[in-house]
Amino acid sequence: MPYEPGKIEPKWQQRWAGEKVAEVDVADATDKFYMLNMFPYPSGDLHVGHGRNYILGDALYRFLRMQGRAALNPMGWDAFGLPAENAAIKRGIHPGEWTRNNIIREKEQFLRWGILYDWSKEIASCDPAYYRWNQWLFLRLYEKGLAYRGKAPVNWCPGCQTVLANEQVIEGKCERCGSEVEQRELEQWFFRITEYADRLDAGLDALAHWPEKVKLMQRNWIGRSIGADVEFPVPSLGRPIVIFTTRPDTIFGATFMVLAPEHPDVPDLIRDAAGREEIEGWIVRVKNLSALQRQSEQEGKEGRFTGKVAINPFTGEEIPIWLGNFVLPQYGTGAIMSVPAHDQRDFEFARQYDLPIRVVVAVDGVIPDPAAMTEAVSNDGVSVDSGLISGLQSPKAIETIIDEIERRGIGKRMVRYRLRDWLISRQRYWGTPIPIVYCSSCGTVPVPDAALPVELPLDVPFTGREGNPLAMVASFVDVACPSCDGPARRETDTMDTFVDSSWYYLRFISPHDDERIFDTALVNRWLPVDQYIGGIEHAILHLLYARFICRALYDMELVAFEEPFARLFNQGMITKEGYRDPAENMTWVPLAEVEFRESMPYRKGSGSRLVPEIGKMSKSRFNVVPPDDLIARFGADTERVYTLFIAPPEKEAAWSDEGVIGAWRFLNRVWAAGEQILTLTDDESDPAAARMIRKTHQTIDAVTRRIGRFEMNTAISAIMELSNSIGDYLNGGGRSRPDAGGSYRTLLQLLHPFAPHVTEELWEMFGRAEMIVTSRWPVADRELMQEDVVTIAIQVNGKLRGEIEVPAGSPEEMVGSKAKAHPKVAQYLEGKDLVKTIHVPGKLVNLVVR
RNA sequence: GCGAAAGUGGCGGAACUGGUAGACGCGCUGGACUUAGGAUCCAGUGGCUCGCGCCGUGGGGGUUCGAGUCCCCCCUUUCGCACCA
């Protein structure tokens, strides 16, 4: 009987679902393991590369289950978002319907991959039963002052017609559509994540099982830096301007000051300036530049002199106040003291506008000549010409000068962050309505808890024109004020979808509870999440927001932990090499098509040329491998085995259509071996099987350890070795049914997490009543693992010269003398003095001669 | 520019605390079975000599009986941040 995955796979998928193998009663569990794949967005384009993290998670789940752990593996849908709304505009289909269809398709795909999720815990963020708790959470944050409305310069994407969070602006462009992002001043809702900057930064240290890379990215994003705020008196204003610096030890070298054009004191400073109109024109120009242009290097530094001066509080000198495009209004105080000798940006600005440069730090005893300097010297050193800190090393100088600043009452120690508050408003339809009402007499009024959810109306015009479609629905907008019952208007902004995903992992524990957001007692028993699996693309956005919301909930005493995810694993992307046709931009040409085109003489060398390229598997680039084609040909098990065998899961891996065949052959060999073992008639144990049995126990040990360390590729290669070993026994004439069958059933169990369907089928063919997925993971017998004969490598002066076989545990003298007797080795010893013998038991002997 | 990670056969990749480099698989070569096969099975497969042997983990130095692994210098690639004071 041949191996036919198309016949056996649907059968087992039904049985697992019918017996609810993945369902976990969270109330009863004691020894818990909560694993989680990142909240997927149902875009309907699941493909082979995309499946890697789900397949990885499922292998881990099946392994834990067989080990007797109560493992929870839930799945839900991050169902709100812009693509659904764009699809509505483009195809005239409602976003909800588009999303629902995708969910059905992707769920079917999970089933075909043989992935076991606890579907009794399924959630979808577009369900009012879910998003009402987004609104509830918003109201709690609002009460605490952690949600606020403010006018702020925001990133506006003209393509998506909405504002974007800082985190969604990549190199000045929209993360989603790639349009250049503009700056606009708008009233927006924010979450005050900056309140938690310090705790979010400090908490990273405790995350021992997170990739260093992710922690570093978060650390850089939070951008904590320590320094001082210092007041510089400005006589013409009659009040000081405060600057922030991380190098207060260089204050004696501060020869001018630069303000951001947006700095609030600018209008007063330039009121009577010569050339005021030109300066104002310049300010408007700088403000209107897109984030991309403002940040690009080519723009260069540009500034204007205000005509006013400030007093350097330590030198007492008057220093000019400039405006500069390189000073950012959002960071620090939007004003800097410029020390051109010791800061590269200040140096460039000083050279450009011929401003004085004064050296106040000697590095390695060298005091550079300002006139000859080509760049700033920003290293630590010893302060010079700096009054009370002269002669001090930089760290000590910084401490001393800050103490003096505080003593004089002109400033203080200050920690600043790069992190900005989280902008959650979206002028879009397909999201959670913000539960706020504007009343002409009561002002901004939160919707009472009892009135939740504020439901998203379903009948909405999708015109694609600027503005939020929700604002055009009178029945939604017009509402009675919850406070005075007078006429009022609803907020029409909806929430960023990252709000949905910032707490969903808590909802999985009690997904149907309509009394509260989640069951605190159960959550505290199951969480933090033991193992979170997802892509690196969420290193700062989602993972930072989730850590923030978890802390906010902790402070509300709704959860007892501050970190939501104990272990994080970032799977690498699957890439695929192919050919791109530059004539049809972004079109990915399959290899078969490439061969066809090359074979056509009239196309060769003419027309468009195909460019070989390696890219990530993505639908937008047409280089996906559709899972259905592959499953139809080789089955889901082959795909699963290959996907995990191809490379370590954290690494990026190149998909190879030829490579898949290896996994297919392997499963066929396993199948054939099973059929052969079923025909064996010998009931006796066979001494010749010792090798195979030893290998079996070694493999149990290896596979168990490797799955636990996510080394799925080497776990599979170990199983292949065992399969080869069983094959050797059978090919060598081995006839013992108990020996071969015992090793073989172990093989099936070890293989089950990777190839669940075929192993279930073979397990059943071997007469097991219980499903393999509910069988107990094998335990290695240490004694049976031991080799009785070991091969010892013999080196002479570190070079391999021969091998001998000795019984395991042979004494050193015996191994040594046997090594010397080896004919080839003896040849190298002749006429030499044996200086030293190194013996590594069970491994090698190194004979050092002179 | 700053920061991080990684360089091993034709390819994907193994090698736990320094201890026989190349496990496992793809590809390739030869053979078997076949009308045929791109299906299956068996054998071989780092390079040079193809005899003993020599050389081999990006390059150069070092430590050691012994280095892919540890230390120093350099090169390359990938990723992240990018005027954050």
Side-chain angles (χ1 to χ4, degrees):
Chain A
M1 203 167 70
Y3 166 44
E4 288 181 77
K7 274 192 188 158
I8 64 176
E9 289 184 354
K11 166 184 154 191
W12 287 105
Q13 285 155 14
Q14 280 165 27
R15 289 226 13 216
W16 295 325
E19 302 192 21
K20 301 193 172 180
V21 170
E23 271 187 34
V24 173
D25 185 342
V26 293
D28 288 350
T30 48
D31 173 28
K32 63 94 185 179
F33 193 100
Y34 183 1
M35 49 181 296
L36 195 58
N37 277 110
M38 275 187 194
F39 210 27
Y41 178 76
S43 60
D45 73 335
L46 283 190
H47 51 76
V48 165
H50 195 161
R52 195 185 199 192
N53 59 324
Y54 306 116
I55 292 168
L56 178 65
D58 190 60
L60 183 65
Y61 175 74
R62 287 172 183 270
F63 170 70
L64 292 168
R65 201 185 189 300
M66 289 171 79
Q67 286 204 317
R69 311 290 302 272
L72 176 62
N73 193 22
M75 178 50 68
W77 310 97
D78 191 6
F80 275 137
L82 211 42
E85 193 163 344
N86 290 341
I89 293 164
K90 204 166 140 191
R91 296 166 223 196
I93 178 173
H94 193 276
E97 195 185 336
W98 188 82
T99 304
R100 243 189 331 275
N101 291 342
N102 286 339
I103 287 175
I104 291 166
R105 283 174 58 189
E106 292 187 24
K107 216 168 153 175
E108 281 171 354
Q109 187 55 56
F110 286 142
L111 201 72
R112 275 195 292 273
W113 269 323
I115 292 171
L116 303 178
Y117 285 121
D118 184 346
W119 292 110
S120 73
K121 310 282 187 294
E122 182 180 6
I123 55 179
S125 61
C126 63
D127 183 347
Y130 182 84
Y131 70 69
R132 72 173 287 188
W133 299 110
N134 274 348
Q135 294 169 342
W136 184 90
L137 177 65
F138 176 95
L139 293 171
R140 299 293 85 74
L141 295 172
Y142 182 75
E143 287 163 4
K144 302 250 168 213
L146 291 171
Y148 67 94
R149 191 158 187 256
K151 190 158 190 165
V154 295
N155 305 302
W156 175 263
C157 171
C160 301
Q161 294 286 337
T162 188
V163 299
L164 301 175
N166 271 10
E167 288 83 347
Q168 289 168 314
V169 181
I170 311 294
E171 288 176 359
K173 294 184 177 169
C174 171
E175 156 197 66
R176 268 243 135 86
C177 74
S179 308
E180 254 187 44
V181 173
E182 299 168 5
Q183 299 299 304
R184 290 196 183 179
E185 286 260 324
L186 292 170
E187 284 274 336
Q188 301 288 324
W189 284 96
F190 292 88
F191 282 170
R192 210 182 292 279
I193 190 172
T194 52
E195 182 88 20
Y196 286 78
D198 203 26
R199 283 163 69 183
L200 289 168
D201 184 76
L204 292 169
D205 292 331
L207 294 173
H209 303 287
W210 275 40
E212 287 301 322
K213 183 189 168 94
V214 174
K215 287 191 276 185
L216 192 67
M217 283 168 75
Q218 292 216 353
R219 208 160 259 141
N220 291 339
W221 189 263
I222 296 167
R224 182 178 201 269
S225 49
I226 306 163
D229 276 6
V230 188
E231 292 177 359
F232 279 54
V234 179
S236 60
L237 284 178
R239 58 176 185 269
I241 289 177
V242 179
I243 60 95
F244 171 67
T245 178
T246 54
R247 290 294 301 273
D249 60 314
T250 63
I251 196 163
F252 286 86
T255 50
F256 57 101
M257 174 183 270
V258 188
L259 308 184
E262 294 88 345
H263 193 281
D265 286 330
V266 170
D268 287 345
L269 285 169
I270 62 168
R271 184 150 295 135
D272 54 358
R276 171 182 154 191
E277 284 186 11
E278 195 281 333
I279 298 176
E280 283 175 343
W282 175 79
I283 291 172
V284 169
R285 238 180 23 254
V286 173
K287 279 186 183 171
N288 285 349
L289 282 180
S290 70
L292 178 66
Q293 288 166 321
R294 178 97 178 241
Q295 284 171 14
S296 78
E297 294 281 352
Q298 298 101 307
E299 285 295 309
K301 292 182 177 46
E302 215 187 321
R304 292 291 184 277
F305 180 44
T306 61
K308 297 295 190 305
V309 295
I311 309 294
N312 181 323
F314 280 85
T315 62
E317 286 172 341
E318 291 189 344
I319 59 173
I321 303 175
W322 282 68
L323 309 181
N325 63 348
F326 69 101
V327 178
L328 305 172
Q330 322 89 322
Y331 186 75
T333 61
I336 61 167
M337 67 170 196
S338 275
V339 186
H342 305 295
D343 183 286
Q344 186 58 25
R345 296 154 302 184
D346 296 347
F347 180 83
E348 286 166 22
F349 196 77
R351 274 288 146 88
Q352 193 173 330
Y353 292 104
D354 203 21
L355 294 159
I357 298 173
R358 182 181 302 154
V359 174
V360 291
V361 179
V363 178
D364 299 328
V366 180
I367 303 175
D369 171 14
M373 285 173 84
T374 54
E375 58 178 12
V377 179
S378 50
N379 315 39
D380 281 7
V382 176
S383 291
V384 292
D385 295 334
S386 294
L388 76 161
I389 56 169
S390 291
L392 298 181
Q393 290 281 343
S394 298
K396 179 72 183 157
I398 289 171
E399 282 306 303
T400 308
I401 196 88
I402 294 178
D403 287 345
E404 178 62 13
I405 288 164
E406 292 190 336
R407 197 189 61 77
R408 290 197 203 173
I410 56 167
K412 56 179 188 293
R413 258 184 193 80
M414 185 57 79
V415 178
R416 297 260 177 198
Y417 301 92
R418 213 184 74 131
L419 185 69
R420 310 255 60 84
D421 275 338
W422 172 14
L423 193 160
I424 60 141
S425 284
R426 295 292 180 274
Q427 288 71 50
R428 278 285 166 171
Y429 164 71
W430 191 235
T432 304
I434 292 176
I436 289 288
V437 168
Y438 300 106
C439 170
S440 48
S441 47
C442 309
T444 302
V445 183
V447 173
D449 285 1
L452 297 184
V454 176
E455 282 206 48
L456 192 63
L458 295 178
D459 191 14
V460 168
F462 294 101
T463 59
R465 265 180 269 125
E466 179 160 356
N468 185 345
L470 263 188
M472 292 177 253
V473 182
S475 60
F476 176 79
V477 175
D478 299 330
V479 67
C481 170
S483 174
C484 71
D485 214 30
R489 295 182 61 253
R490 272 195 202 284
E491 171 63 82
T492 57
D493 282 359
T494 51
M495 295 184 206
D496 181 5
T497 58
F498 280 112
V499 176
D500 310 352
S501 56
S502 67
W503 66 278
Y504 75 99
Y505 58 93
L506 298 161
R507 186 67 182 172
F508 277 135
I509 305 300
S510 54
H512 309 298
D513 194 332
D514 54 9
E515 298 291 315
R516 56 205 153 161
I517 183 167
F518 51 78
D519 182 329
T520 294
L522 280 182
V523 157
N524 285 339
R525 198 181 319 161
W526 275 87
L527 278 85
V529 172
D530 294 277
Q531 182 66 62
Y532 201 24
I533 302 173
I536 188 76
E537 67 273 16
H538 290 117
I540 33 190
L541 295 165
H542 162 60
L543 288 170
L544 194 60
Y545 296 148
R547 294 180 62 228
F548 156 57
I549 293 296
C550 188
R551 279 171 172 73
L553 294 168
Y554 173 85
D555 290 347
M556 298 175 202
E557 296 181 9
L558 288 168
V559 300
F561 46 89
E562 294 195 49
E563 287 295 344
F565 313 120
R567 284 165 200 269
L568 175 67
F569 186 87
N570 294 124
Q571 86 281 358
M573 241 180 335
I574 302 255
T575 60
K576 184 155 159 62
E577 47 184 71
Y579 292 80
R580 195 166 51 82
D581 185 341
E584 306 165 51
N585 197 26
M586 302 296 276
T587 299
W588 203 269
V589 182
L591 283 167
E593 167 73 7
V594 173
E595 283 162 17
F596 170 74
R597 287 203 195 181
E598 291 295 312
S599 69
M600 306 302 265
Y602 59 90
R603 290 200 68 153
K604 225 176 190 172
S606 69
S608 59
R609 227 169 239 295
L610 298 171
V611 183
E613 191 179 291
I614 296 178
K616 70 171 185 177
M617 264 201 204
S618 80
K619 194 191 172 197
S620 63
R621 311 193 69 174
F622 296 96
N623 65 335
V624 298
V625 177
D628 290 351
D629 294 2
L630 201 79
I631 287 173
R633 207 163 148 211
F634 299 113
D637 285 340
T638 293
E639 187 193 329
R640 291 175 58 121
V641 169
Y642 178 66
T643 298
L644 296 178
F645 179 67
I646 181 171
E650 71 277 11
K651 268 194 71 170
E652 194 173 85
W655 183 268
S656 143
D657 291 327
E658 303 86 64
V660 180
I661 203 79
W664 167 248
R665 283 183 196 146
F666 166 58
L667 295 180
N668 274 285
R669 278 197 300 272
V670 170
W671 183 275
E675 293 201 313
Q676 194 180 340
I677 290 167
L678 286 171
T679 66
L680 296 183
T681 49
D682 198 339
D683 288 331
E684 296 300 307
S685 193
D686 176 5
R691 236 181 124 79
M692 174 180 69
I693 291 168
R694 197 181 311 121
K695 187 74 182 174
T696 304
H697 288 273
Q698 290 169 346
T699 306
I700 295 169
D701 185 58
V703 171
T704 307
R705 281 185 293 130
R706 289 172 186 181
I707 293 179
R709 292 199 299 252
F710 276 73
E711 294 167 12
M712 306 304 182
N713 56 329
T714 54
I716 292 170
S717 73
I719 297 168
M720 287 173 168
E721 285 183 52
L722 175 59
S723 166
N724 292 345
S725 183
I726 293 172
D728 288 346
Y729 175 74
L730 297 173
N731 290 341
R735 308 284 311 153
S736 165
R737 199 178 57 201
D739 287 346
S743 287
Y744 186 78
R745 285 195 307 274
T746 299
L747 169 83
L748 293 180
Q749 288 181 296
L750 298 178
L751 183 57
H752 181 260
F754 309 107
H757 310 85
V758 68
T759 48
E760 285 281 15
E761 183 73 14
L762 288 161
W763 188 255
E764 190 181 63
M765 281 161 62
F766 270 73
R768 303 283 136 167
E770 188 193 32
M771 290 194 290
I772 196 169
V773 70
T774 58
S775 73
R776 211 22 95 90
W777 190 256
V779 176
D781 184 323
R782 295 271 141 198
E783 266 178 42
L784 290 175
M785 274 170 66
Q786 294 303 316
E787 302 279 350
D788 39 4
V789 175
V790 290
T791 305
I792 303 288
I794 309 164
Q795 297 180 337
V796 178
N797 288 346
K799 283 195 187 265
L800 183 69
R801 297 300 179 189
E803 283 178 352
I804 51 170
E805 296 212 328
V806 297
S810 296
E812 184 169 345
E813 312 85 68
M814 186 219 148
V815 178
S817 57
K818 210 170 166 188
K820 281 176 250 175
H822 190 283
K824 217 142 119 196
V825 173
Q827 196 182 316
Y828 283 92
L829 297 180
E830 215 175 296
K832 302 276 174 66
D833 288 338
L834 185 64
V835 185
K836 200 169 167 187
T837 303
I838 314 263
H839 180 238
V840 182
K843 295 249 164 146
L844 63 74
V845 173
N846 189 9
L847 304 168
V848 186
V849 298
R850 203 179 283 149

